[in-house]
Amino acid sequence: MKAAIVEITEGNMALFDNIADDVFDAPIEPERLQAFVASPAQSLFVALAGDTVIGQGRGLAYHRPDMAPELFIDNLGVTAAHRRRGVATALIEAILNWGEKLGCSTFWVATEADNKPAIALYETFKWKTEGVAMFHGVFRNKAQERDSARSKI
């Protein structure tokens, strides 16, 4: 059975009532989902097998004052039982189509250097690989403190 790819809108957020394991990094919080869906510069696509979410991909189109918008493929996840069946490829294609419709001129995606499955997937698209140095920081606020406390449970 081929997975159906659906863009999440305010009208279909109930799809999140049935999510397979390992599709998202953490449980979905309704208020965060609502804020995400409300932003026209972000998009979330899910892959469905029947009524179960088996995969997800997020895109972020960011606008720049000196250039056309650029698309960042923000996140991709497919439950283990449905990997290597074209689900991730279909999600990426949906995100790319969405970004193109918004007028994005370029796109990019990043992954950890040791994430061999992701690197293998991205190489199938024949995209150019660039070496970069990524820096990461954390804001300390109540929401993040709550998330940090939850991750220790």
Side-chain angles (χ1 to χ4, degrees):
M1 174 168 99
K2 188 169 176 134
I5 306 299
V6 176
E7 184 175 10
I8 297 301
T9 66
E10 289 186 20
N12 64 7
M13 289 190 286
L15 291 171
F16 287 91
D17 291 345
N18 192 11
I19 304 171
D21 292 335
D22 299 326
V23 172
F24 290 91
D25 297 325
I28 299 298
E29 294 189 23
E31 58 278 355
R32 288 183 178 179
L33 177 61
Q34 179 68 40
F36 188 95
V37 170
S39 172
Q42 301 179 119
S43 192
L44 171 58
F45 291 87
V46 296
L48 298 171
D51 66 348
T52 302
V53 173
I54 60 163
Q56 61 86 20
R58 298 188 296 247
L60 169 64
Y62 59 96
H63 297 267
R64 306 175 288 183
D66 60 339
M67 300 168 79
E70 185 170 55
L71 173 66
F72 171 51
I73 300 171
D74 176 43
N75 196 282
L76 190 66
V78 176
T79 191
H82 290 273
R83 291 183 188 147
R84 303 193 55 80
R85 296 183 184 181
V87 175
T89 298
L91 287 164
I92 288 173
E93 289 171 350
I95 295 166
L96 292 174
N97 289 335
W98 173 78
E100 192 170 30
K101 287 177 187 171
L102 290 180
C104 294
S105 60
T106 57
F107 61 88
W108 63 283
V109 63
T111 191
E112 295 80 9
D114 62 350
N115 189 340
K116 292 183 187 336
I119 292 168
L121 170 66
Y122 302 144
E123 286 176 342
T124 66
F125 286 95
K126 308 288 188 224
W127 295 339
K128 179 182 173 188
T129 303
E130 294 182 11
V132 297
M134 186 189 96
F135 297 86
H136 173 85
V138 176
F139 292 104
R140 297 303 304 170
N141 64 34
K142 292 190 184 301
Q144 289 170 333
E145 289 171 11
R146 181 186 69 224
D147 291 346
S148 177
R150 184 180 299 137
S151 70
K152 294 176 185 175
I153 296 175

